[in-house]
Amino acid sequence: QNIATTTNGFHSITVLTDGFSDWTSSDEDNVLPVSFTSFRGKAQVGGNQLSWTTAQETNNAGFTVERSQDGRNFEPIAFVKGTGTTANAQQYAYFDQFGRTAYYRLTQRDFDGKTALSDIIYVNRAAKSNDLTLYPNPATKFVRLSGQDAQAQVEVLGTYGRTLISISVTAGETIDLSKLPAGVYQYRITTDGGSKTNKLVIY
């Protein structure tokens, strides 16, 4: 659903999307001082990497980076300084140390206080638990979580389902098993996309 808003005489349209195509915003009375050509986000280990580019800027003070978990209620998390006035393409980036799925948008600000909104983008970190596993298995003193850019809560369970290890890890991180004796255990992987339980052999 598109949302049209007017701020200080500027008209903007917010589009909820998980993709991006080149765009600019303008109306007959006012041309927005920043022409965006891209705004993207990518899940990485330790957080979400945001990047955006502009084709030209006029009187641009900078960008307030805003985050939301429902796509409607946003909060400011950072300010990235703009270039001011330029006819050349500019590249910007911000790394958000936030390990969960989130929506993002930019509020562009002029030096005179006028603002305009970017499109909304979506960074999905919700890996499905069925796509993840622990390796190697059988194991000796450690295991790792599989999956690219994945994060999960991993539990190693003993007799009667008693939790022996419970740790939040990202893909490739090591889980120390050295304090557990050889035997057959269960492990449970839980993500935003669900949970699964499987067998773990330590020898």
Side-chain angles (χ1 to χ4, degrees):
Q1 181 179 357
N2 299 348
I3 303 172
T5 60
T6 302
T7 304
N8 294 325
F10 284 82
H11 304 299
S12 63
I13 300 174
T14 299
V15 183
L16 187 60
T17 176
D18 58 1
F20 201 94
S21 59
D22 293 355
W23 62 278
T24 60
S25 298
S26 64
D27 62 24
E28 294 180 356
D29 301 320
N30 298 290
V31 177
L32 293 182
V34 170
S35 176
F36 287 92
T37 54
S38 70
F39 179 30
R40 298 183 175 90
K42 181 179 180 181
Q44 294 187 348
V45 174
N48 299 327
Q49 179 67 58
L50 308 179
S51 61
W52 62 99
T53 59
T54 63
Q56 59 82 29
E57 300 179 14
T58 303
N59 198 32
N60 177 29
F63 309 87
T64 299
V65 182
E66 301 178 7
R67 182 178 66 214
S68 170
Q69 291 189 259
D70 60 11
R72 294 181 295 274
N73 301 301
F74 285 83
E75 61 176 355
I77 59 173
F79 183 79
V80 177
K81 186 178 179 180
T83 304
T85 299
T86 178
N88 298 323
Q90 302 295 315
Q91 296 182 342
Y92 299 91
Y94 177 75
F95 186 75
D96 183 18
Q97 295 179 335
F98 186 72
R100 299 175 64 183
T101 293
Y103 299 85
Y104 294 92
R105 73 182 182 188
L106 304 172
T107 296
Q108 182 273 323
R109 295 185 178 276
D110 288 1
F111 285 110
D112 59 11
K114 293 179 181 178
T115 63
L117 293 176
S118 75
D119 283 356
I120 295 171
I121 64 170
Y122 178 64
V123 179
N124 185 11
R125 304 187 67 93
K128 295 181 180 180
S129 59
N130 287 338
D131 297 334
L132 306 178
T133 188
L134 297 184
Y135 69 95
N137 188 8
T140 52
K141 295 183 178 181
F142 71 90
V143 288
R144 290 188 171 93
L145 177 68
S146 69
Q148 184 177 6
D149 295 330
Q151 287 192 318
Q153 185 72 25
V154 176
E155 298 168 277
V156 178
L157 310 174
T159 306
Y160 306 116
R162 184 165 60 97
T163 300
L164 304 176
I165 295 175
S166 180
I167 186 172
S168 179
V169 294
T170 57
E173 287 188 333
T174 297
I175 301 171
D176 185 6
L177 304 176
S178 61
K179 295 183 179 179
L180 299 181
V184 178
Y185 299 83
Q186 297 287 320
Y187 70 85
R188 181 162 57 224
I189 296 177
T190 302
T191 70
D192 291 343
S195 65
K196 75 169 184 179
T197 303
N198 213 332
K199 182 170 70 174
L200 173 65
V201 178
I202 302 175
Y203 65 89

